Amino acid sequence: MTLKSLLIAGCIALSLTACQDTKTHKQNVELVQASNSAIESLANMLQIQYEQVDNRPSEYCDKTIENGNCFEAKLHIKASGAVNVDGWKIYFSQITPIQQTLSDEFTITHVNGDLHVIELKEAFTGFKAGETKTITFYANFWSLSQSDAIPNYILVNHNEYAKVITSTKPTVDPETGLELLPHVVPYSDYERQFKRTKNDETQWLTAERLFERNTKYDFSPYLTDENKQVAQHIIPTPTQATFSQTQQLDISQGLRFNLNGVNEKGVTAAIERLKLLGLTTSESGVAVNLNLTPTKDGSQGSYTLAINASEINISATDESGVFYALQSLASLYQVNNTTLPIGQVNDAPHYEFRGVLVDVARNFRDKAFILKLLDQMAAYKLNKLHLHLADDEGWRLEIPSLEELTDVASKRCFDLSEQECLMPQLGAGIDTSSPVNGFYSVDDYQEILKFASARHIQVIPSLDMPGHSRAAIKAMQARYNKYIKQGDKQKAEQFLLYDPLDTTVYSSVQHYNDNTINVCLDSSYAFIREVMEQVKIIHNEAQHPLTRYHIGADETAGAWVSSPACTEFIKQNNLPFTKAEQLGSYFIERVSNMLADMNIETAAWSDGLSHTNPNNMPDIVQGNSWDLLMWNGHQRAHQFANRNWQVVVSSPDVLYFDFPYEADPQEHGYYWASRHINTEKVFQFMPDNLPVHAEFWLDREDRPYTANDTVIKNDAGEVEFAPLEKGKQFIGIQGQLWSENTRTNNMAEYKLFPRLLSLAQRAWHKAQWAVPYDHDGFVYSRNTQRFTPSLKQQRDQQWLTFAASLGLKEFNKLERANVHFRIANAGAKIENGMLYANVAYPGLLIEYMQAGGQWQTYNAPVKVTQDVWVRTKLPVSGRVSRTLKVTQQ
């Protein structure tokens, strides 16, 4: 045995000083290459803390990048024991690319997307026991929320043996059920950590500021038995409802449904919800007579609900109308009550399209989550589920003929070749069985489709393209490699999505350099047709026809410019342009017409559609308008509607539910368009009049903005934007739940609910206080008064009734359905030694705790002697809100 072999054999297997083939001497410190066992131990030993330091640009910020906006952060790495190993690195996710790193011993390099890698310099000397080393870095833009610091840092050695560093794993708060990030140093400094720029006027919603805001809500009239507003309130509000103030129907014996020819499948889900809420069925129950009365002028989903002294009669133009009438019955019902108000409801939806987008691509949501969401969408009369099934970070739908899409692209682990899985973007970790990974099998997806059909909901799948397509590209690259090894070049290239000779250097909005399908390859269109034919078959087998498909078409970032395939493609085809940059619109037009040939209508995001020639598009086009209102986003929506395209308003300022509810660094979410979108703000939305919001909303830094809704001409004198033409209108609205940093079902439900109820309100019901749209055009600002004080008073009064109904009726129903909705924080202040507290919804309990004490119920102002923490609590389940601190003055 050689001396080298003896040395290796004598090493302790689990020691961090375990011997390997190579030893190095660095600054008189002897380090050895990290073994796999050393990585195991080191992953438990390293304590990493992420500290956001300052959003204010410094001399270290590159003024040529993002207008010089960058922030400073520090990574503190502490070792609980001595570390004498070398040859390891740490992969971690950072939302925006890091420009510069300051450290004598470490470097940080951007890999792709949000993935970065920390590597050791030659000067690395190891760690003494208890020693902390700090890396300072500067990254694009700013960091305003603690949820920016993505978890699950991955330690890797030269063998590519990977382990997640324990200190960076997220945990779950046992009281709130929300994800916690123990590795993040809490944000606490207003100037350095909370403000986006020096001009940012956003106020941190402290307990004290929340208390002042809550004082405008007077719920006392809703808390007495004499008040009938909550008992008679339906969410979403019907077109017309009249109820007796004295008479009620006794339903203590339950209900008895008479179908009268109505298809049982079309109403079973609504009846089951009534049972869930406590309304049983029995032969001795009150008769509920269901009747279909089709009329030529009756809108889809319209109905009449008549609650009489002895029976309930429902009449509707179609089965969805009967279904919605039953949901209105459920809305009137108060859990554990035995009466219903007597009266009549005449109702019809304001918008045909009432949608919710759920992004299951970035972080997967399991089938049970989707089924529960469909139940709640149906409960509040939402009828379109836009299911975002594929993006850069994952492909989530089984396509039987293309197994690599799910074998490779449905999971993330540590595989630099990305032939077995995708790299762990967005802090996914390395466990392929993690809940953030996964896909819907054909059976799973068909169960979702059937479940949606039973609730009168259309599922609109989206497999984003040509950008946001990295998962598909990598899967088809794995397929290519498989068949090349088998010597089958034709099959290998059959569905190839990239040009191997393409040298284009680009970066997508999410900082990928390889996420865009090459639109010049026949194999790209063969892939799309194969996928769409398969998806269409899956839908047909589930008796949920695929009539509309969302192609995405957004955020294509200058790919193909140096692709030889595209150079040749432009030469060989008679195209109305010569630059490869213009191929994106060609792709959208071609795919849209391919879908039309398959009897599938096209939907896409507004930015991609804006580059197309309307004359080259099919007759029916759905455009999701996601342009920001504060940046004249209404103009694109009007432009599309004036083309007779079907516009679905998807404004991020108010309809992106991955954004925080409130301006507080502890409130989870992205915030690039808004720091705070609470349930009341969604309720305030006037989707028929987008520019009017400039009168009472603020921009993303809480500063006034102007919305110009007059004719806008370009330099050539051509009309570029114009007011919405008379007779033109939007087809509907859609709330979006993107999932970049939403890793758990609880967090997803927290972000959706209760905002989803306000979304339903605005999608179904046109408010009487909404400002009529001015087709002649107008410039709106804080100085204009189209939204009069009288209309504002009406809106605020209706919000009180809506909020009271949430707190006193609907939250209980959400609890029964096991929905993890957001519980509003308590507002509080300490004045002259007395604690005052309040809440935005009646029915929630308020609790307080002094330092070192126990939680106590707050009923009235109480004397306190030190700082206090406050929270709210659900009276039934006992689940609590986040805690806010109240400081003694």
Side-chain angles (χ1 to χ4, degrees):
M1 181 178 287
T2 65
L3 177 61
K4 177 179 175 183
S5 298
L6 286 169
L7 286 170
I8 294 173
C11 291
I12 301 174
L14 296 180
S15 170
L16 288 182
T17 57
C19 298
Q20 290 292 324
D21 291 349
T22 304
K23 291 187 178 183
T24 58
H25 293 269
K26 297 182 180 181
Q27 296 186 3
N28 299 319
V29 177
E30 188 175 30
L31 303 177
V32 296
Q33 290 287 305
S35 65
N36 292 0
S37 60
I39 291 297
E40 291 272 356
S41 297
L42 192 57
N44 291 320
M45 182 180 292
L46 294 181
Q47 302 296 314
I48 294 181
Q49 281 195 315
Y50 179 103
E51 180 187 9
Q52 193 270 41
V53 177
D54 204 332
N55 283 320
R56 297 172 296 187
S58 71
E59 68 272 19
Y60 294 104
C61 297
D62 189 333
K63 291 182 172 56
T64 66
I65 300 176
E66 309 301 348
N67 298 315
N69 289 309
C70 86
F71 71 94
E72 176 186 351
K74 294 181 185 293
L75 290 176
H76 305 289
I77 307 176
K78 180 180 179 180
S80 58
V83 176
N84 298 318
V85 293
D86 197 359
W88 51 271
K89 59 185 70 173
I90 298 173
Y91 286 84
F92 72 105
S93 289
Q94 162 65 36
I95 294 172
T96 58
I98 292 173
Q99 297 181 8
Q100 188 169 172
T101 306
L102 302 182
S103 172
D104 293 333
E105 299 184 69
F106 303 92
T107 64
I108 300 180
T109 305
H110 177 232
V111 179
N112 201 5
D114 61 69
L115 201 61
H116 292 70
V117 61
I118 301 170
E119 297 181 274
L120 308 179
K121 289 183 176 181
E122 283 295 317
F124 176 68
T125 60
F127 284 85
K128 299 175 184 177
E131 181 181 6
T132 298
K133 296 177 185 285
T134 296
I135 309 170
T136 301
F137 68 80
Y138 298 85
N140 294 355
F141 295 114
W142 35 71
S143 178
L144 308 175
S145 171
Q146 290 168 201
S147 62
D148 288 350
I150 301 176
N152 293 322
Y153 289 36
I154 300 170
L155 188 68
V156 182
N157 67 2
H158 60 288
N159 296 325
E160 295 183 12
Y161 182 79
K163 195 76 176 177
V164 173
I165 297 174
T166 302
S167 65
T168 67
K169 292 181 179 180
T171 61
V172 174
D173 186 324
E175 292 188 316
T176 66
L178 299 179
E179 182 185 75
L180 299 176
L181 301 174
H183 73 294
V184 182
V185 178
Y187 292 19
S188 59
D189 189 287
Y190 177 76
E191 290 292 332
R192 295 186 300 110
Q193 297 176 310
F194 183 79
K195 294 181 68 172
R196 188 190 302 263
T197 68
K198 65 179 180 180
N199 297 319
D200 193 343
E201 297 180 12
T202 308
Q203 295 296 304
W204 194 319
L205 191 66
T206 60
E208 291 82 2
R209 288 198 177 99
L210 183 53
F211 179 86
E212 291 304 314
R213 192 175 79 183
N214 287 345
T215 57
K216 70 180 181 181
Y217 306 127
D218 179 10
F219 293 115
S220 56
Y222 298 91
L223 300 176
T224 62
D225 291 336
E226 291 76 21
N227 189 287
K228 304 295 184 184
Q229 291 186 70
V230 169
Q232 299 175 0
H233 190 64
I234 296 172
I235 296 178
T237 303
T239 306
Q240 184 181 35
T242 305
F243 291 100
S244 169
Q245 298 302 305
T246 58
Q247 294 180 293
Q248 293 181 321
L249 173 63
D250 183 352
I251 53 171
S252 59
Q253 298 303 308
L255 303 175
R256 174 170 49 85
F257 294 92
N258 299 317
L259 298 181
N260 298 323
V262 173
N263 186 347
E264 185 176 2
K265 290 183 179 179
V267 296
T268 296
I271 293 172
E272 289 299 316
R273 179 166 183 256
L274 286 166
K275 291 179 182 178
L276 174 70
L277 299 181
L279 268 171
T280 59
T281 58
S282 71
E283 288 301 317
S284 59
V286 172
V288 182
N289 303 308
L290 312 182
N291 296 284
L292 280 176
T293 55
T295 60
K296 291 183 179 180
D297 57 350
S299 63
Q300 188 173 17
S302 62
Y303 68 88
T304 297
L305 167 65
I307 303 174
N308 303 320
S310 59
E311 63 181 6
I312 299 171
N313 293 309
I314 289 173
S315 178
T317 58
D318 59 8
E319 285 185 0
S320 68
V322 176
F323 184 87
Y324 296 143
L326 290 170
Q327 298 292 14
S328 289
L329 197 64
S331 188
L332 286 169
Y333 176 67
Q334 291 180 280
V335 174
N336 296 325
N337 207 330
T338 58
T339 63
L340 287 172
I342 286 178
Q344 181 161 314
V345 177
N346 298 307
D347 201 7
H350 176 50
Y351 284 128
E352 173 189 340
F353 191 111
R354 307 179 299 279
V356 176
L357 174 145
V358 178
D359 171 12
V360 299
R362 270 63 173 267
N363 283 303
F364 187 58
R365 301 272 73 82
D366 59 28
K367 180 179 66 176
F369 174 91
I370 298 299
L371 298 183
K372 189 196 298 186
L373 174 61
L374 286 166
D375 251 338
Q376 295 307 311
M377 287 176 62
Y380 299 102
K381 306 182 179 76
L382 295 164
N383 69 341
K384 308 288 181 181
L385 176 62
H386 177 170
L387 206 51
H388 189 72
L389 290 162
D391 211 293
D392 296 320
E393 297 82 9
W395 183 285
R396 308 300 183 186
L397 178 62
E398 179 186 11
I399 304 297
S401 62
L402 298 171
E403 59 189 21
E404 294 82 6
L405 287 170
T406 45
D407 285 352
V408 175
S410 72
K411 56 193 177 186
R412 284 168 284 182
C413 63
F414 192 83
D415 174 18
L416 290 172
S417 71
E418 296 189 289
Q419 297 302 288
E420 300 295 328
C421 64
L422 301 179
M423 282 292 281
Q425 303 282 344
L426 300 174
I430 61 175
D431 181 4
T432 56
S433 64
S434 165
V436 303
N437 294 320
F439 66 94
Y440 305 120
S441 67
V442 170
D443 287 344
D444 289 337
Y445 187 62
Q446 289 182 334
E447 184 179 345
I448 289 170
L449 296 177
K450 293 173 182 177
F451 202 84
S453 294
R455 287 150 184 80
H456 304 275
I457 295 171
Q458 179 186 14
V459 176
I460 302 174
S462 173
L463 303 161
D464 218 333
M465 59 183 80
H468 290 274
S469 293
R470 189 174 189 273
I473 292 168
K474 291 300 177 182
M476 291 302 96
Q477 184 179 2
R479 184 181 188 276
Y480 172 88
N481 292 338
K482 179 176 71 176
Y483 286 111
I484 281 293
K485 287 181 181 178
Q486 296 177 13
D488 193 338
K489 186 172 184 291
Q490 182 179 358
K491 199 164 187 177
E493 295 179 344
Q494 183 182 8
F495 300 120
L496 196 62
L497 301 178
Y498 72 101
D499 176 3
L501 301 179
D502 189 356
T503 59
T504 305
V505 177
Y506 68 94
S507 179
S508 73
V509 174
Q510 283 78 28
H511 317 294
Y512 289 101
N513 57 25
D514 56 355
N515 79 331
T516 307
I517 293 173
N518 190 296
V519 302
C520 304
L521 303 175
D522 288 341
S523 53
S524 294
Y525 298 99
F527 169 82
I528 295 167
R529 181 172 288 279
E530 177 68 16
V531 168
M532 293 316 305
E533 287 177 348
Q534 293 285 309
V535 175
K536 187 172 183 178
I537 290 171
I538 293 170
H539 272 249
N540 286 342
E541 289 177 349
Q543 297 182 343
H544 190 108
L546 180 64
T547 58
R548 183 163 296 193
Y549 170 75
H550 202 289
I551 65 174
D554 62 318
E555 296 179 339
T556 300
W560 326 302
V561 176
S562 301
S563 165
C566 286
T567 301
E568 184 63 22
F569 184 81
I570 292 173
K571 286 181 182 178
Q572 295 297 325
N573 291 273
N574 184 26
L575 300 176
F577 53 82
T578 59
K579 294 183 178 180
E581 293 91 336
Q582 296 172 282
L583 283 165
S585 58
Y586 166 84
F587 173 88
I588 296 169
E589 293 167 7
R590 179 170 172 177
V591 171
S592 297
N593 284 289
M594 177 194 300
L595 292 172
D597 291 342
M598 300 171 70
N599 294 316
I600 302 170
E601 297 164 353
T602 291
W605 297 104
S606 52
D607 57 332
L609 285 174
S610 65
H611 301 295
T612 62
N613 181 342
N615 296 324
N616 296 337
M617 294 293 289
D619 291 337
I620 297 176
V621 176
Q622 175 191 311
N624 284 81
S625 177
W626 70 286
D627 305 83
L628 276 68
L629 300 181
M630 62 182 175
W631 293 341
N632 286 314
H634 64 277
Q635 294 174 340
R636 186 85 65 201
H638 294 171
Q639 181 188 58
F640 284 6
N642 289 340
R643 290 180 185 175
N644 291 320
W645 285 359
Q646 296 182 1
V647 173
V648 176
V649 176
S650 308
S651 306
D653 318 59
V654 64
L655 295 175
Y656 271 38
F657 295 165
D658 54 310
F659 290 0
Y661 279 86
E662 305 290 359
D664 181 339
Q666 290 191 60
E667 195 68 44
H668 204 281
Y670 277 9
Y671 44 75
W672 53 265
S674 179
R675 299 283 293 276
H676 45 86
I677 300 176
N678 62 23
T679 308
E680 183 177 6
K681 184 176 182 180
V682 182
F683 181 89
Q684 293 176 350
F685 191 36
M686 304 181 202
D688 293 316
N689 191 345
L690 298 179
V692 75
H693 297 91
E695 291 195 348
F696 55 93
W697 283 352
L698 301 168
D699 69 9
R700 67 180 184 176
E701 294 189 343
D702 274 8
R703 294 184 296 175
Y705 69 93
T706 299
N708 186 350
D709 192 34
T710 61
V711 174
I712 306 294
K713 296 183 179 180
N714 59 24
D715 293 339
E718 302 166 328
V719 174
E720 190 169 0
F721 298 108
L724 192 64
E725 296 171 5
K726 291 182 179 180
K728 301 294 174 63
Q729 57 188 10
F730 306 139
I731 191 176
I733 65 173
Q734 177 175 279
Q736 282 66 223
L737 179 66
W738 300 106
S739 71
E740 286 94 335
N741 63 0
T742 304
R743 288 171 285 272
T744 68
N745 285 353
N746 277 356
M747 188 59 75
E749 290 181 359
Y750 177 95
K751 292 181 176 182
L752 279 169
F753 297 92
R755 289 188 283 205
L756 181 139
L757 278 69
S758 280
L759 170 71
Q761 175 75 359
R762 293 283 69 86
W764 182 273
H765 177 72
K766 183 174 183 177
Q768 293 179 340
W769 44 261
V771 180
Y773 180 74
D774 185 351
H775 293 277
D776 294 328
F778 190 70
V779 179
Y780 299 84
S781 71
R782 303 287 281 190
N783 298 320
T784 55
Q785 290 286 317
R786 294 293 179 91
F787 188 48
T788 65
S790 174
L791 292 175
K792 181 180 184 297
Q793 184 179 19
Q794 291 180 47
R795 180 198 69 186
D796 293 348
Q797 182 58 52
Q798 288 188 22
W799 165 252
L800 283 181
T801 303
F802 189 88
S805 295
L806 292 183
L808 299 174
K809 283 204 308 187
E810 299 308 311
F811 288 170
N812 201 338
K813 295 171 187 175
L814 292 175
E815 280 194 273
R816 288 229 168 181
N818 195 30
V819 175
H820 199 93
F821 61 94
R822 181 182 187 267
I823 307 171
N825 296 329
K829 68 176 181 178
I830 299 174
E831 195 172 84
N832 299 322
M834 299 292 290
L835 173 68
Y836 298 85
N838 57 19
V839 70
Y841 299 98
L844 298 179
L845 303 177
I846 300 176
E847 295 187 326
Y848 71 99
M849 178 178 68
Q850 297 189 71
Q854 300 293 319
W855 286 105
Q856 301 178 63
T857 301
Y858 175 90
N859 295 309
V862 60
K863 186 173 181 59
V864 293
T865 58
Q866 50 194 314
D867 292 347
V868 172
W869 285 262
V870 294
R871 67 186 187 185
T872 56
K873 182 177 182 179
L874 295 174
V876 177
S877 68
R879 187 164 63 88
V880 297
S881 72
R882 287 194 305 106
T883 299
L884 297 183
K885 185 178 181 180
V886 194
T887 305
Q888 285 273 2
Q889 300 298 318

